């Protein structure tokens, strides 16, 4: 790292393949922070980071709204009351679009690592498995909420499953914030430097 390597894909792939304890120490080194700053200061990586955050928040907000509406509707109709209408299918569109966005992003990441011959890095990274579980979870529950009259599943089981899935969505957001914390700190440092 003291030889100031070029910030190439191979360098960052090697940095990601380090053990967690060594990776945490390497990213705070001044030379690595300069390299991260070079990459993060580019428009495309910054746009991807901001898009990830925006889509993540959008999915969480719409998921919460649709889950509450679906649970209310399922319990109202099971009690014989007809006060609520089923959740609008249009409210599911952001969920499908968000899950599709992360699916395409994960697919591109897998293909790029396959091209570099470093697919092992993707498989060994726990955050990638969280991303995969997140994508499956959003697709599954969006489909389940799209059929609120489904009587194959008890209302209590539906409510419990939806509550557990919300934990997964928040874990994904927290993992995103943790992963971008150092990158974001470097970005803010560069931004303040440019503003001065």
């Amino acid at each position: 790292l003291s030889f100031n390597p070029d910030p190439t894909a191979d360098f960052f792939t090697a940095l990601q393949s380090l053990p967690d304890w060594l990776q945490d120490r390497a990213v705070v080194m001044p030379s690595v922070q300069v390299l991260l700053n070079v990459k993060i200061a580019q428009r495309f990586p910054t746009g991807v980071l901001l898009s990830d955050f925006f889509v993540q928040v959008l999915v969480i907000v719409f998921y919460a709204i649709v889950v509450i509406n679906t649970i209310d509707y399922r319990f109202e109709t099971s009690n014989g009351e007809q006060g609520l209408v089923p959740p609008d299918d249009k409210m599911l569109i952001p969920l499908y679009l968000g899950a599709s966005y992360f699916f395409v992003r994960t697919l591109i990441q897998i293909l790029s690592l396959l091209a570099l011959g470093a697919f092992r890095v993707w498989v060994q990274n726990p955050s990638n498995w969280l991303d995969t579980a997140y994508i499956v979870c959003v697709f599954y529950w969006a489909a389940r909420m799209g059929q609120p009259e489904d009587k194959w599943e008890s209302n209590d089981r539906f409510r419990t499953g939806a509550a557990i899935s919300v934990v997964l969505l928040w874990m994904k957001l927290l993992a995103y914030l943790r992963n971008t914390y150092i990158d974001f700190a470097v970005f803010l440092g560069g931004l303040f430097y440019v503003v001065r």
Side-chain angles (χ1 to χ4, degrees):
L1 292 175
S2 32
F3 289 112
N4 295 328
D6 291 330
T8 62
D10 291 333
F11 172 75
F12 289 113
T13 302
L15 193 62
Q16 284 182 329
S17 65
L18 293 174
D20 287 339
W21 64 271
L22 188 55
Q23 187 178 24
D24 290 341
R25 294 192 70 185
V27 295
V28 295
M29 294 184 66
S31 59
V32 174
Q33 287 186 352
V34 167
L35 296 174
L36 286 172
N37 191 24
V38 167
K39 280 300 182 187
I40 290 175
Q42 296 173 352
R43 290 181 183 156
F44 185 73
T46 303
V48 170
L49 283 175
L50 292 175
S51 296
D52 286 354
F53 181 72
F54 174 73
V55 171
Q56 185 72 24
V57 169
L58 188 75
V59 166
I60 288 175
V61 167
F62 276 89
Y63 193 86
I65 292 169
V66 177
V67 162
I68 290 169
N69 289 345
T70 304
I71 289 172
D72 287 346
Y73 178 76
R74 286 177 71 110
F75 277 90
E76 287 276 330
T77 56
S78 69
N79 294 334
E81 301 172 25
Q82 296 299 326
L84 293 174
V85 295
D88 189 9
D89 287 341
K90 293 177 188 168
M91 297 293 283
L92 297 173
I93 292 172
L95 298 178
Y96 285 118
L97 289 177
S100 298
Y101 169 81
F102 284 113
F103 175 76
V104 169
R105 196 169 173 322
T106 300
L107 186 63
I108 290 171
Q109 185 182 23
I110 289 170
L111 293 175
S112 66
L113 287 172
L114 279 172
L116 291 171
F119 181 68
R120 181 180 56 85
V121 172
W122 187 89
V123 171
Q124 293 175 345
N125 190 344
S127 70
N128 293 327
W129 291 105
L130 179 63
D131 292 345
T132 304
Y134 170 86
I135 293 165
V136 169
C137 176
V138 173
F139 275 131
Y140 175 78
W141 285 103
R144 300 291 301 131
M145 290 183 286
Q147 302 170 348
E149 286 93 11
D150 184 14
K151 298 300 179 192
W152 291 102
E153 178 175 51
S154 74
N155 290 340
D156 290 329
R157 204 168 0 167
F158 179 87
R159 182 175 50 190
T160 303
I164 291 170
S165 65
V166 169
V167 172
L168 183 65
L169 298 182
W170 282 100
M171 282 176 52
K172 168 88 166 94
L173 181 63
L174 292 174
Y176 166 81
L177 292 174
R178 180 193 174 274
N179 289 339
T180 59
Y181 176 71
I182 293 172
D183 297 343
F184 188 66
V186 172
F187 171 73
L188 282 180
L191 181 66
F192 289 138
Y193 179 75
V194 169
V195 171
R196 277 192 260 152

